[in-house]
């Protein structure tokens, strides 16, 4: 976890921005895919609705209906834009709805608009087929070849509905339908009528006296193809060449000895047509279609706002760091420079030998301090050279420094060190010294009473791979609401602070030493504990490596 965190902190702002941009693009694509899935589900539902409507049409269509516009009454509440056409894509008059064209429109402009709508609908939703039954009225002329039992017997030819087609040897006015029906009834009482029915062909019924039940008849179509025959020594379903030859022989016989006459018949045939049910998307689906565009625009706006906010935050942090670094530099240089100035003034007025010796000693310390400050800022600005370090020595130096300085701050503070048996680490002495000084300095600032205790505890982890340091004080503590912000640049609880100390410590520990620092515990009024974890090196191994490096040089 700590390793991942350190890696993330090493990413540049540009990399972070790129990652955020890629994430937002991925979110936009995910939203678009999700919207398309919804789209497909809605279209499948539309298809189901369209098929149900087609089923309704098929179930209620009556081929005898002269006007089918009433069919829309069954589905008039459906929101689907729909147009019904024949198989040639010609709109059926009145059979369109929800397309901004009134069903009673018949002008050419309306039909052109309907055809454009049909093209658009079919691009999105393939049309559904409507099987439709209709009555096809036909008129055929048939030729009858008859070899009657007797030419004097009365004969009436009708269709199956009783419509008159032909007659002979009857004493009645054919325009008198009632009288004709009476004659037909009498003939049917004497002899069974001869009935011819075939699918999609004109039906014929021959009414006549036929005591012997033999009535040779052949009926041909206008093209000469035999249609019906009876008692000609050929089975009715015989289509063989021999059967055809027998029929032709019968025609020759009738031509010489029988009767030949034409019958004009009108009849209706039920024909199965195919209509096409064209339908478009419901209006709210087009609204959904704009969702990905709107979402993408919103994401771009959020990306822009986030980018500007991130940029402003980065700039603010950089300004804070620069200001803090400047103040820290002034603070670090201020004490030794003031001290040097004081000793110089003293030397100008007093050349006593003991005083001169003391001044030289103190001035050497101040110069050493200035050298250390320069080394610190040089190290923080570049990658420092890491060496074997005994943390005990670094901590001792820091605590000794503050033991001398604390009384000058009018504070009675006890400095306690408990860190025996710590392993070596690879690090920068100056940077670690700086980091520890900042932690102790913060502890001193938090101690408001005159009896303060600052303790530095050191121990090894259970696997002896890490050194654990706890910086503990009994100061005023950190408010709970601010504990998550203590490591952020610019955060401070001091009236005159600039909020750089802990962020600098964090950079030194985590970026330069691959360690970790965090607020381990803090209670208002009870004190604070900061914990540092650093990777340790076995002493023997560290010494051997150091010797090898020395020999290598």
């Amino acid at each position: 976890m700590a390793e991942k965190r350190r890696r993330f902190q090493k990413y540049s702002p540009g990399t972070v921005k790129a990652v955020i941009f890629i994430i937002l693009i991925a979110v936009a694509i995910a939203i678009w895919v999700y919207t398309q899935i919804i789209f497909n589900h809605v279209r499948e539902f539309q298809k189901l609705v369209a098929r149900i409507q087609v089923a309704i049409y098929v179930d209620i269509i009556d081929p005898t209906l002269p006007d089918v516009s009433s069919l829309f009454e069954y589905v008039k509440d459906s929101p689907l834009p729909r147009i019904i056409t024949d198989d040639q894509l010609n709109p059926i008059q009145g059979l369109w709805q929800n397309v901004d064209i009134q069903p009673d429109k018949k002008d050419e402009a309306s039909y052109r608009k309907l055809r454009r709508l049909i093209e658009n609908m079919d691009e999105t939703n393939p049309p559904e087929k409507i099987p439709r039954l209709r009555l096809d009225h036909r008129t055929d002329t048939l030729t009858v070849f008859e070899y009657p039992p007797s030419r004097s017997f009365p004969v009436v030819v009708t269709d199956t509905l009783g419509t008159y087609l032909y007659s002979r040897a009857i004493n009645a006015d054919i325009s008198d339908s009632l009288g004709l029906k009476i004659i037909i009834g009498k003939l049917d009482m004497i002899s069974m009528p001869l009935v011819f029915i075939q699918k999609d062909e004109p039906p014929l019924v021959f009414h006549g006296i036929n005591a012997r039940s033999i009535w040779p008849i052949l009926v041909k179509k206008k093209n000469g193809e035999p249609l019906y025959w009876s008692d000609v020594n050929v089975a009715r379903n015989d289509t063989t060449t021999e059967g055809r030859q027998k029929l032709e022989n019968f025609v020759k016989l009738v031509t010489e000895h029988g009767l030949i006459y034409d019958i004009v018949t009108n009849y209706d045939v039920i024909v199965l047509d195919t209509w096409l049910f064209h339908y478009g998307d419901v209006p709210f689906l087009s609204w959904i279609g704009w969702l990905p565009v709107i979402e993408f625009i919103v994401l771009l706006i959020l990306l822009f706002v986030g980018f500007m906010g991130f940029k402003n935050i980065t700039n603010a942090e950089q300004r804070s760091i620069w200001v803090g670094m400047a103040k820290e530099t002034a603070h670090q240089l201020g004490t030794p420079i003031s001290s040097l100035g004081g000793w110089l003034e003293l030397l100008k007025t007093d050349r006593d030998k003991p005083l001169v010796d003391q001044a030289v000693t103190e001035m050497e310390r101040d110069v050493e301090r200035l050298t250390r400050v320069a080394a610190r800022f040089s190290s923080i600005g570049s990658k420092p050279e890491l060496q074997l370090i005994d943390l005990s020595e670094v901590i001792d130096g820091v605590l000794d420094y503050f033991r001398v300085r604390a009384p000058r701050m009018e504070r009675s503070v006890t400095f306690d060190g408990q860190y025996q048996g710590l392993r070596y680490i690879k690090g920068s002495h100056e940077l670690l010294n700086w980091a520890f000084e900042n932690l102790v300095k913060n502890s001193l600032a938090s101690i408001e009473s005159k009896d303060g205790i600052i303790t530095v505890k050191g121990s090894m982890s259970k696997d002896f791979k890490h050194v654990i340091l706890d910086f503990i004080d009994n100061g005023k503590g950190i408010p709970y609401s601010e504990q998550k912000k203590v490591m952020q640049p610019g955060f401070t609880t001091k009236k005159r602070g600039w909020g750089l100390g802990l962020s600098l410590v964090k950079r030194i520990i985590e970026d330069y030493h691959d360690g970790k620092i965090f607020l381990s515990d803090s209670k208002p009024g009870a004190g604070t504990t900061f914990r540092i974890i650093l990777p340790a090196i076995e002493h023997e191994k560290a010494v051997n490596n150091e010797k090898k490096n020395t020999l290598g040089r």
Side-chain angles (χ1 to χ4, degrees):
M1 184 69 184
E3 183 66 24
K4 291 182 179 179
R5 185 177 176 184
R6 286 193 293 272
R7 288 178 183 174
F8 180 77
Q9 291 170 344
K10 293 179 181 179
Y11 292 154
S12 65
T15 303
V16 175
K17 293 173 187 176
V19 170
I20 294 174
F21 179 77
I22 293 172
I23 290 174
L24 288 176
I25 293 297
V27 170
I29 293 174
I31 293 174
W32 180 82
V33 171
Y34 179 72
T35 306
Q36 292 303 309
I37 292 173
I38 295 176
F39 244 69
N40 293 334
H41 280 293
V42 174
R43 284 216 167 101
E44 288 297 322
F45 176 75
Q46 283 187 159
K47 187 179 292 185
L48 177 62
V49 171
R51 287 176 179 173
I52 291 174
Q53 293 187 19
V54 167
I56 293 174
Y57 287 131
V58 173
D59 289 342
I60 65 177
I61 284 179
D62 185 346
T64 62
L65 286 177
D67 180 16
V68 294
S69 60
S70 60
L71 297 178
F72 265 119
E73 293 297 320
Y74 293 92
V75 289
K76 64 181 180 180
D77 294 331
S78 172
L80 284 179
R82 54 195 183 276
I83 303 172
I84 294 181
T85 68
D86 59 19
D87 55 359
Q88 301 300 316
L89 302 182
N90 297 311
I92 308 299
Q93 177 60 43
L95 294 187
W96 56 79
Q97 199 167 15
N98 300 329
V99 292
D100 296 330
I101 300 176
Q102 295 300 321
D104 57 351
K105 291 288 185 180
K106 299 181 180 180
D107 56 284
E108 185 60 28
S110 297
Y111 274 87
R112 284 199 300 269
K113 185 176 180 181
L114 286 171
R115 290 189 182 94
R116 287 195 299 270
L117 289 172
I118 289 169
E119 291 179 1
N120 294 334
M121 289 178 175
D122 292 350
E123 287 179 1
T124 306
N125 305 302
E128 298 290 334
K129 293 182 179 180
I130 304 177
R132 177 180 176 268
L133 297 175
R134 66 176 177 85
L135 292 177
D136 186 24
H137 185 75
R138 297 179 182 178
T139 299
D140 282 343
T141 299
L142 305 176
T143 301
V144 179
F145 298 86
E146 182 183 354
Y147 195 80
S150 173
R151 293 175 184 268
S152 60
F153 286 169
V155 172
V156 178
V157 182
T158 66
D159 58 18
T160 52
L161 298 177
T163 304
Y164 173 82
L165 300 176
Y166 169 82
S167 65
R168 69 171 182 268
I170 59 173
N171 296 321
D173 184 3
I174 59 174
S175 61
D176 182 7
S177 59
L178 180 59
L180 190 61
K181 288 181 180 180
I182 292 173
I183 292 174
I184 291 173
K186 290 179 179 180
L187 291 175
D188 291 346
M189 290 178 66
I190 297 172
S191 299
M192 289 291 293
L194 188 59
V195 181
F196 296 104
I197 298 176
Q198 189 171 317
K199 183 181 178 182
D200 297 337
E201 300 293 349
L204 297 177
V205 180
F206 288 82
H207 308 272
I209 299 174
N210 183 12
R212 293 184 298 171
S213 299
I214 298 176
W215 197 344
I217 292 176
L218 171 63
V219 181
K220 281 190 173 185
K221 295 182 180 181
K222 193 174 182 178
N223 60 5
E225 182 183 353
L227 178 60
Y228 302 127
W229 56 88
S230 177
D231 297 329
V232 294
N233 200 25
V234 178
R236 287 195 177 185
N237 58 353
D238 187 353
T239 58
T240 62
T241 304
E242 183 181 356
R244 297 294 176 178
Q245 186 60 46
K246 288 181 179 181
L247 292 177
E248 291 301 320
N249 293 337
F250 177 75
V251 170
K252 292 178 182 179
L253 176 63
V254 172
T255 301
E256 295 178 1
H257 304 288
L259 294 175
I260 301 174
Y261 51 89
D262 291 336
I263 295 176
V264 178
T265 178
N266 297 299
Y267 61 99
D268 292 326
V269 176
I270 297 178
V271 178
L272 179 63
D273 281 344
T274 299
W275 281 359
L276 297 176
F277 184 94
H278 309 269
Y279 63 97
D281 295 333
V282 291
F284 76 83
L285 195 61
S286 61
W287 304 340
I288 297 176
W290 283 98
L291 276 180
V293 178
I294 296 172
E295 292 161 352
F296 188 72
I297 292 173
V298 171
L299 285 174
L300 286 179
I301 294 173
L302 291 176
L303 179 64
F304 176 75
V305 173
F307 173 79
M308 295 304 296
F310 185 83
K311 184 177 180 181
N312 290 335
I313 292 172
T314 303
N315 291 338
E317 287 184 353
Q318 289 177 348
R319 286 194 297 270
S320 176
I321 290 172
W322 279 112
V323 171
M325 287 295 290
K327 291 182 178 180
E328 178 70 12
T329 303
H331 175 73
Q332 292 284 335
L333 297 177
T335 301
I337 289 175
S338 298
S339 177
L340 285 172
W343 287 114
L344 287 173
E345 289 295 328
L346 186 61
L347 289 175
K348 290 178 182 179
T349 59
D350 194 346
R351 298 297 182 94
D352 186 54
K353 178 80 168 65
L355 182 61
V356 171
D357 293 340
Q358 182 183 359
V360 170
T361 302
E362 293 298 330
M363 291 175 73
E364 286 177 347
R365 290 180 181 176
D366 290 335
V367 170
E368 182 182 351
R369 180 70 179 174
L370 288 173
T371 304
R372 181 179 297 177
V373 170
R376 288 177 178 179
F377 281 101
S378 175
S379 299
I380 203 69
S382 60
K383 188 174 181 180
E385 182 179 353
L386 303 183
Q387 299 174 345
L388 281 178
I389 291 177
D390 183 355
L391 284 175
S392 300
E393 295 180 359
V394 180
I395 300 171
D396 285 339
V398 171
L399 294 182
D400 290 342
Y401 172 75
F402 280 102
R403 286 190 182 103
V404 175
R405 190 174 179 183
R408 300 176 187 174
M409 301 170 62
E410 298 181 356
R411 301 287 174 87
S412 176
V413 179
T414 300
F415 294 91
D416 185 21
Q418 304 172 16
Y419 38 81
Q420 299 300 321
L422 300 181
R423 286 188 174 181
Y424 281 64
I425 69 163
K426 291 281 284 187
S428 168
H429 189 284
E430 288 299 333
L431 290 182
L432 288 173
N433 185 280
W434 195 4
F436 297 164
E437 277 187 12
N438 276 321
L439 288 174
V440 176
K441 191 188 302 180
N442 282 344
S443 295
L444 279 172
S446 70
I447 296 175
E448 297 177 339
S449 65
K450 291 186 177 181
D451 297 322
I453 300 175
I454 297 176
T455 304
V456 180
K457 291 184 178 181
S459 62
M460 298 300 300
S461 61
K462 293 182 179 180
D463 57 3
F464 286 87
K465 291 184 178 180
H466 294 87
V467 177
I468 301 174
L469 299 178
D470 288 330
F471 288 76
I472 308 168
D473 65 62
N474 63 344
K476 62 182 179 181
I478 302 172
Y480 294 114
S481 60
E482 298 178 348
Q483 290 184 5
K484 293 183 179 180
K485 301 183 291 184
V486 293
M487 295 293 180
Q488 295 178 3
F491 174 81
T492 180
T493 58
K494 304 173 187 176
K495 293 181 180 180
R496 299 179 60 186
W498 43 84
L500 188 64
L502 288 177
S503 63
L504 193 61
V505 173
K506 181 179 177 68
R507 180 177 178 85
I508 292 172
I509 297 299
E510 296 189 356
D511 291 355
Y512 293 131
H513 293 86
D514 290 330
K516 183 178 180 183
I517 179 172
F518 56 91
L519 180 63
S520 176
D521 182 39
S522 184
K523 296 178 182 178
T528 300
T529 300
F530 280 96
R531 172 163 290 187
I532 295 176
I533 302 176
L534 294 168
I537 300 177
E538 294 183 15
H539 180 68
E540 295 79 3
K541 182 178 179 181
V543 172
N544 291 334
N545 289 338
E546 189 70 19
K547 289 180 178 179
K548 289 180 181 179
N549 293 334
T550 304
L551 292 174
R553 296 191 190 99

